[in-house]
Amino acid sequence: MPSPAKPILEILKKYWGYEAFRPLQQDIIESVLDGRDTLGLMPTGGGKSITFQVPTMAVDGMALVVTPIISLMKDQVDRLRALNIKATYLYAGLTRAEVNRTYEKCMYGNCKFLYVSPERLQSQSFMERLKQMPVSLIVVDEAHCISQWGYDFRPSFLRIAQVRKLFPKVPVLALTATATPVVVEDIQRCLQFRETNVFSMSFARSNLSYVVRHTEEKSTELAHILRSVPGTAIVYVRSRKRAKQISDELNRQGILADFYHAGLYVEDKEDKQNKWTTDQCRVMVATNAFGMGIDKPDVRLVVHVDIPNSLEEYYQEAGRAGRDGKRSYAVLLAKRTDQRTLRRHITEAFPDKDFIRSVYERVGNFLGVSIGEGYQQMYDFNFNLFCRTFDLPVLPTHNALKILTQAGYIEFIEEIETQSRVMILARKEELYDLETVTRGADQVLQAILRLYTGLFADYVFINEDVIAFRTGLDQETIYKSLLELTRMHILHYVPRKRTPYIIYTTSREEPKHILFPKAVYEELRQRMTDRVEATINYAYADSGCRERMLLGYFGETAAQDCGHCDLCIDRRKRGDHEPVDVQQGILYMAGLRPRRLEEFLNTLSFPHDEIVSMISFLVDEGFVEHLADDTYVAVKR
C-alpha cells in the first residue's frame, strides 16, 4: 500500500471525531499502510471497521470489502455516506442498472469503498470489471468464514484468492472477532499471506462476568435475572416464534421488551433497534440476526435462553455486553434436556446424503433448470413454497441446501430484503409538462421529490408508508402510480422484495453424480460435534472457571481464574480459597492499569477485609505502588 498522504490521527479526528485510536487499531492500520498482509482478531465492539476505513482514506485508490452480512454492509455504507465519504455496495438483490452504475463509479475513481457479498466474486463479469478498478486494499470481514475449520464456513470466500491474483501487490486485511488457533492459521493460508502477521487482543473481558444458571423454568429465571440486574439487556433465542413469545411474556410481567428477527421488514428492524438504542425499550429478545454493527456500549446484560451450537457464537454474542468497561453479565440458561437438544442439532445439520441429492434434484425441477444448464445463473427461490410443494421438512431441507453450497454445486443465499427504491430518469425541466393517467401519480411524484434527495443521480430508498402518510393515498394507488411513472420512463421504480436466491455454481447435474467430499460432510460433521461437546462442557461444568474455559478454547492461557464467574464465586462462598488466590487477583488487576480500592472490592469475590489486608501487604512488600491519585498499580519487575 502506498505511503499515506495524510496522518492517520488527523483522518480519525476529521471523519470520526475521535482523538485517539482504541487498542490494536493503530498497530493494524500501520501494518496495512506498510503493505503487509494482516489478520486482526478484535472482539465484538473493538472497532474493526476503523482499521480499514482510516488507511483507505489516507491513500489513493479504494478498498474492496468482502462481507457475508448484507445488513451490515448497507449499514456501513450509510454511515460512510453520512460522513461524506463515497461508498457503495453490490449484492444479489440489485438491478442490472444499479450494478452497472456501481461499476462506473468504481472504475472512474468516484468511490473509496466497495462492499461486496462473497458470491459476487463468482461472477466473471464482476472480475473483469474489477481489474479496471483502483483497488488499494482488500478487506475480508468475518474472515473465519474462509476456513473449513471455522464455525460458519462459506465456500464462496475461497474465491478471494482469485482477487489476490488480480492485485498481487495490494495487501489483504482479514478481520474476525472469534477464531481458534487452527482457524487463525487456516485464514492466512487460504488468503495466501506472504508472511505470518497476526494482531490479537486478549479474549479476556475483566468487566464481564460469565454465569450459567441451571433451571427447568427458564422463563421464570429470565424474569428474575432481568429484575435483579438493572440496565439495557439482550435476550438471545434460536427461533423467530420464540422471540415474540418471550417478549410478550416479559411485557405481561411489566418488563418493557420487544422482539427482533431476520423476518421483519427493514423499517420495523430500524424502528425496534432505534427504540432499544435510545432506551425507549429496555430488553430486546432476538435471534442471532440482532447485534451485528450495533453501537450501544452500556448493555449490562446478555442472556442466552437457548444454548448456541458453538462457543464462538456464544462468545461473540455475549461480548455485546459491557463495551463501556463497566461491570456486566453474560448469563446462559441451561436445563437437563439441552444436552440432548444440542446433539440432535448435529443430526439435523447433516441429513442423509440421499435426501440431500433429492433436494438438489427438486430444486432444479422447481426452478425449471434443465440438466447441463444453469451455470452462473441466479434464480429467485421461494424456500417456503419449495418445501410446501414437495412436502419437505423445513430444517433438514435448509441444511441440505447449505451442504450443497459447501460442496460447490449451488450458492444458497438466504433471505435478502431489498427496500423499494427509485431513480428519476427524466430531466428536471420535463417534469413540469407531465400528463399522467393513474389517479394520484402527480401527487406521488411530487411527494417523492419533496421527501428525497439525490434522485437524479442514483437509486434512492423510499418508504411507501411515508408517501401514503404525506399524500393520503392508499398503498395500492401508490404502487400503481409508481408503475405508471416507470412505464412513462419518468422514473425507475424497484419494488420491495424479500426472497432467497439460488446461484448455480456448476451446470445442473444428475443426482447420481452429486458427490460430497469428506471435507464438506464427514469432517464438517466431526468439527460441529467437537464444537457442540465443547459448549456442553462449558455449560455443565461444576468446577474451574468459566472465563478460563473460554480463553483456553481460543488458545489463550489465563494466568489465573477470573474471580467473578459463577464457579469462582461459588468456590469463594464455600471458603475454598487460599491467600495466594487473593494476591493473584489483585496483582492481575493492578498489572492491567491503575485501580482504585473500590474496583478491587467490587470485582474480586473475596471477603473485603482480606482484599484490603492483602493490598496493604503488597504495598509494604513493594509489589504494588500506591499512587498520588489514590490508585494502586503493580510494580514491574
Side-chain angles (χ1 to χ4, degrees), residues 180-199:
T180 60
V182 68
V183 172
V184 167
E185 184 178 330
D186 205 32
I187 289 171
Q188 295 175 90
R189 181 188 62 79
C190 291
L191 290 175
Q192 300 176 1
F193 270 39
R194 290 176 283 247
E195 61 177 333
T196 300
N197 187 29
V198 182
F199 292 88

Side-chain angles (χ1 to χ4, degrees), residues 52 130 212 308 316 527 545:
F52 65 84
L130 186 62
V212 177
Q316 191 170 44
R527 287 168 199 164
C545 167

Side-chain angles (χ1 to χ4, degrees), residues 349-383:
F350 292 89
D352 182 79
K353 291 179 181 179
D354 285 339
F355 175 79
I356 300 172
R357 291 187 182 98
S358 73
V359 168
Y360 177 83
E361 182 178 24
R362 287 167 172 170
V363 167
N365 296 340
F366 183 71
L367 297 176
V369 180
S370 302
I371 299 295
E373 302 294 330
Y375 177 62
Q376 288 297 309
Q377 296 297 308
M378 185 175 75
Y379 302 88
D380 289 358
F381 182 68
N382 188 324
F383 176 74

Side-chain angles (χ1 to χ4, degrees), residues 610-625:
E610 289 188 37
I611 295 172
V612 173
S613 175
M614 182 58 70
I615 289 174
S616 177
F617 168 78
L618 292 172
V619 170
D620 290 343
E621 295 297 317
F623 292 100
V624 169
E625 184 180 355

Side-chain angles (χ1 to χ4, degrees), residues 107 344 448 635:
M107 288 191 294
R344 189 176 68 243
I448 288 172
V635 176

Side-chain angles (χ1 to χ4, degrees), residues 483-496:
L483 290 182
E484 182 194 350
L485 291 166
T486 298
R487 286 194 298 271
M488 295 174 67
H489 300 290
I490 294 163
L491 54 75
H492 185 218
Y493 168 53
V494 183
R496 177 204 302 270

Side-chain angles (χ1 to χ4, degrees), residues 267-278:
E267 294 88 352
D268 291 335
K269 290 178 184 176
E270 290 177 352
D271 181 60
K272 288 171 181 283
Q273 185 164 318
N274 287 338
K275 286 180 178 176
W276 179 79
T277 303
T278 56

Side-chain angles (χ1 to χ4, degrees), residues 246-305:
I246 292 178
S247 171
D248 290 344
E249 177 60 29
L250 291 175
N251 281 302
R252 281 194 292 272
Q253 296 192 44
I255 298 171
L256 191 59
D258 203 346
F259 66 94
Y260 187 107
H261 55 69
L264 299 169
Y265 283 119
V266 170
E267 294 88 352
D268 291 335
K269 290 178 184 176
E270 290 177 352
D271 181 60
K272 288 171 181 283
Q273 185 164 318
N274 287 338
K275 286 180 178 176
W276 179 79
T277 303
T278 56
D279 297 323
Q280 298 174 62
C281 166
R282 182 192 164 204
V283 181
M284 187 63 77
V285 186
T287 62
N288 61 6
F290 183 73
M292 291 293 181
I294 63 170
D295 186 20
K296 188 166 175 60
D298 61 342
V299 177
R300 296 275 73 87
L301 175 68
V302 172
V303 182
H304 280 78
V305 175

